Amino acid sequence: MLRDPSIKYRPFPTIDLPDRQWPSRTIDKAPRWLSTDMRDGNQALIDPMNAEKKQRFFDLLVKIGVKEIEVGFPSAGATEFDFINGLVRAGSIPDDVVVQVLTQARADLIARSFESLEGARTAVVHMYNALSPAWREIVFGMDRAGIKKIAVEGMSRMREEAERRPDTDWRFEYSPETFSTAELDYSLEVCEAVLDVIEPTPERPIIFNLPATIEAATPNVYADQVEWFCRHISRRDSVIVSVHPHNDRGTGVAAAELSVMAGADRVEGCLFGNGERTGNVDLVTLALNLYTQGVDPELDFSDMDAVIQTVEHCNALPVHPRHPYAGELVFTAFSGSHQDAIKKGFAAQAKRNDHIWNVPYLPIDPADLGRSYEAVIRVNSQSGKGGFAWVLEQDKGLKLPKRMQADFSQHVQAFADQVGRELTAADIWDVFRSVYAPEGGNGPFALVDYEEGRSAPGQERRFTGRIRLNGEERRISGRGNGFLSSVLDALREDCGLVLDIEDYHEHAIGHGGDAQAAAYVECRTADGRTIFGVATDPDVATASLKALLGAANRADAAGGQAAEKTLSLADS
């Protein structure tokens, strides 16, 4: 690279538009959408789509609600022509969908394009020729007058071909190609000449497409160009201004949005931004940007994974895992601080009475796109306690108390460092079971059965039960001011185990007759160690008892045989 790129490259000139209006405008409705996937996008593929793939793509576009579809370049070859003509002859075009085709400004190619659409109810034929100095001087070796003549003669031939086929409602589109790098006054001059040929009306408007064939400047410059054109073109009520941004600078989406603010009525692009070089503007991102601002994009991406599957099949190109809104990882957090914020955001969302979406790091509800919440937080060595807890909650319904999350995270972190990969929900559950044995597991203490009662209202609770201690069945009993305190009394008196319960939580998993109770107990030992227990059971009292025995097993595993230890007691 040059140390001084100014000796080779020149900055793009700005537009003299001191009273520009677009910066103060907002987009409050969707533009008209034109998909160019089957034409511009198809031309960008290493292996162009065959008829089966083109039909599948067409069906997808119709399904998600695209009403204007550029179905091909019929003069490019027999495959293109036959597919387009087959759509018409088979009656496959819905009444509310308008198809269009592209042609260069040559008489034979124009005629071929009209032939491909004969019999259609409504159709658009789109003609283009390049106007900018580089194309005029380098590619064509022509002056302004010569290029303008091509446009006028081509559009005249378009009108003649349409008049020969009165059974179709023909519409016209003209692109002053390379608009983004052409002189504005010259683009206007050529389009005014085209207006004189077509003589559009408000009922039958012409489409002027203003392509950013090369994205050569910042998006605000393109917006200035579009606003200037919208202000200066005559018969504006008979003109649909369309934009076709490319993405050479990586700002195609911004250029499209600003151009709509500048007065454009219509946006041409491809799903996920496919197109030659760095691609056409991405219609998915544009539509969902509107959606997140409360504007109906009039396109349906509620089954995003199905859309991706079809596009990847037809284009043989992957959708990047970080692609806005659509990528596999765009709603996924690995970072511990991100996971914590998202987890708290979902909890706050569930408590609010309104439906306004407000979750940190998630500009859109994944469920609106058919995505599950299970994939929002994924775990690796970079993750924190909130991430591990989220996965357990989503997979098993367990809502770990905060201090238990911190305890558990140490074990998961050690496992993640050991294996050096992303952890699955199954991995996390295996670690959880090995640490806390929520289903019983191995240990000196195991429940056989129990009874509880109260001597009289307001009096102490009584607990009587049978447990196995180191494989030997033992009957125990105790009293306390609550169920857990009576169990602790029994363990102290009959087993020599003394624990201090620091915290206790419980909640339901599921609803109705199949609901389970989850109980969590935090205990403290005499030497200051903290021990956690957790268990589930259809009965909440049984779950809490099992959780306490689980803590006893952990205390034993950490400090020797429980029956031989004396731990400090503080009643629950």
Side-chain angles (χ1 to χ4, degrees):
M1 294 178 65
L2 300 172
R3 296 298 299 272
D4 179 13
S6 67
I7 65 175
K8 187 173 183 179
Y9 301 99
R10 292 289 182 266
F12 196 86
T14 58
I15 308 302
D16 183 17
L17 196 67
D19 59 340
R20 57 182 58 85
Q21 300 298 306
W22 63 261
S24 62
R25 296 173 182 159
T26 58
I27 305 174
D28 57 10
K29 66 176 182 178
R32 292 171 53 170
W33 305 109
L34 173 82
S35 163
T36 62
D37 289 275
M38 300 178 68
R39 196 276 303 169
D40 202 346
N42 189 45
Q43 289 177 296
L45 301 178
I46 298 172
D47 298 309
M49 289 183 276
N50 57 24
E52 179 272 327
K53 289 183 176 181
K54 293 200 78 169
Q55 184 65 57
R56 185 168 173 178
F57 213 124
F58 181 82
D59 293 341
L60 170 67
L61 293 170
V62 171
K63 182 178 180 180
I64 64 176
V66 180
K67 301 302 181 185
E68 300 178 58
I69 304 172
E70 194 165 67
V71 288
F73 204 144
S75 60
T79 299
E80 288 283 282
F81 183 95
D82 292 344
F83 172 76
I84 296 165
N85 192 242
L87 280 179
V88 176
R89 288 186 287 102
S92 301
I93 304 169
D95 289 345
D96 61 346
V97 172
V98 175
V99 296
Q100 75 175 44
V101 297
L102 183 72
T103 181
Q104 294 169 308
R106 279 175 37 190
D108 57 330
L109 304 184
I110 292 171
R112 186 70 169 160
S113 300
F114 275 88
E115 289 170 11
S116 71
L117 291 171
E118 281 185 354
R121 181 182 55 82
T122 305
V124 178
V125 181
H126 175 194
M127 194 199 84
Y128 71 97
N129 68 312
L131 306 190
S132 67
W135 270 256
R136 294 198 308 262
E137 298 163 8
I138 298 172
V139 180
F140 302 117
M142 300 177 70
D143 59 11
R144 282 191 176 197
I147 295 295
K148 178 181 173 181
K149 182 180 179 182
I150 291 175
V152 170
E153 290 181 350
M155 294 306 292
S156 298
R157 180 56 63 95
M158 293 255 288
R159 184 166 179 172
E160 292 170 5
E161 294 290 346
E163 290 170 350
R164 292 195 187 103
R165 302 170 175 86
D167 293 338
T168 296
D169 180 10
W170 297 103
R171 303 299 174 96
F172 305 101
E173 177 172 345
Y174 172 69
S175 288
E177 199 201 356
T178 64
F179 169 83
S180 56
T181 54
E183 307 92 336
L184 282 174
D185 64 330
Y186 181 53
S187 295
L188 180 69
E189 177 186 336
V190 174
C191 287
E192 290 288 355
V194 169
L195 280 177
D196 291 339
V197 172
I198 300 300
E199 298 180 305
T201 64
E203 295 73 31
R204 298 178 59 82
I206 189 172
I207 302 168
F208 280 137
N209 179 46
L210 309 179
T213 307
I214 299 293
E215 189 180 32
T218 50
N220 61 295
V221 173
Y222 185 56
D224 281 348
Q225 293 172 320
V226 172
E227 182 170 330
W228 188 95
F229 184 89
C230 290
R231 287 192 193 184
H232 289 83
I233 191 70
S234 65
R235 291 176 270 192
R236 181 65 178 91
D237 62 350
S238 301
V239 171
I240 296 167
V241 174
S242 188
V243 290
H244 186 114
H246 280 249
N247 200 41
D248 301 85
R249 294 170 56 93
T251 56
V253 167
E257 291 177 325
L258 298 190
S259 67
V260 171
M261 292 160 61
D265 308 297
R266 182 177 185 249
V267 176
E268 304 186 2
C270 291
L271 301 184
F272 308 116
N274 180 42
E276 287 198 89
R277 307 186 314 279
T278 51
N280 295 299
V281 72
D282 174 13
L283 297 186
V284 175
T285 300
L286 281 171
L288 293 176
N289 281 354
L290 288 178
Y291 185 81
T292 63
Q293 302 303 300
V295 177
D296 179 8
E298 300 176 12
L299 297 178
D300 182 5
F301 294 110
S302 58
D303 190 354
M304 182 64 78
D305 289 341
V307 174
I308 292 172
Q309 183 181 32
T310 297
V311 173
E312 288 185 335
H313 168 75
C314 294
N315 287 346
L317 292 172
V319 173
H320 195 281
R322 300 290 182 189
H323 193 101
Y325 301 112
E328 179 187 358
L329 298 178
V330 294
F331 301 125
T332 299
F334 291 101
S335 161
S337 61
H338 290 196
Q339 292 172 343
D340 182 64
I342 291 171
K343 184 172 178 288
K344 290 175 179 175
F346 272 109
Q349 188 78 18
K351 293 178 182 178
R352 285 199 298 271
N353 292 324
D354 61 58
H355 299 288
I356 300 301
W357 181 253
N358 186 22
V359 175
Y361 295 113
L362 296 179
I364 192 172
D365 185 350
D368 289 355
L369 306 180
R371 295 281 173 82
S372 68
Y373 294 142
E374 283 80 354
V376 169
I377 290 177
R378 289 164 59 175
V379 173
N380 61 18
S381 62
Q382 302 299 305
S383 303
K385 61 182 183 296
F388 310 138
W390 166 271
V391 173
L392 269 183
E393 181 176 346
Q394 297 301 306
D395 191 50
K396 300 296 182 181
L398 297 175
K399 302 176 182 179
L400 305 191
K402 189 171 183 179
R403 288 197 291 270
M404 190 176 184
Q405 291 181 26
D407 182 74
F408 179 49
S409 70
Q410 300 173 46
H411 301 280
V412 184
Q413 195 74 52
F415 182 74
D417 288 336
Q418 177 185 347
V419 299
R421 59 171 171 80
E422 180 186 352
L423 303 188
T424 66
D427 291 329
I428 295 170
W429 179 238
D430 286 345
V431 174
F432 189 80
R433 293 174 64 190
S434 71
V435 174
Y436 302 109
E439 299 159 335
N442 297 323
F445 292 93
L447 177 65
V448 179
D449 61 26
Y450 73 96
E451 296 176 357
E452 63 162 324
R454 193 184 298 270
S455 300
Q459 294 185 1
E460 288 185 325
R461 299 281 287 273
R462 299 193 313 270
F463 171 83
T464 302
R466 288 185 298 143
I467 65 168
R468 286 191 180 89
L469 180 57
N470 294 318
E472 178 184 343
E473 189 171 308
R474 179 175 302 194
R475 190 173 186 82
I476 63 174
S477 63
R479 295 173 180 270
N481 59 8
F483 175 66
L484 288 182
S485 61
S486 66
V487 175
L488 284 174
D489 183 61
L491 292 174
R492 182 184 69 239
E493 294 297 329
D494 296 326
C495 301
L497 173 67
V498 181
L499 290 176
D500 173 7
I501 295 182
E502 293 282 298
D503 198 12
Y504 174 80
H505 293 270
E506 64 184 41
H507 66 81
I509 302 176
H511 303 280
D514 294 330
Q516 294 273 314
Y520 311 85
V521 62
E522 177 184 346
C523 299
R524 181 170 54 83
T525 67
D527 57 0
R529 289 179 294 110
T530 298
I531 303 296
F532 293 90
V534 58
T536 61
D537 193 88
D539 176 67
V540 65
T542 305
S544 63
L545 174 55
K546 288 180 177 178
L548 188 55
L549 293 179
N553 285 326
R554 291 200 70 213
D556 178 78
Q561 292 298 318
E564 300 173 0
K565 294 177 64 66
T566 300
L567 307 175
S568 67
L569 170 65
D571 199 19
S572 171

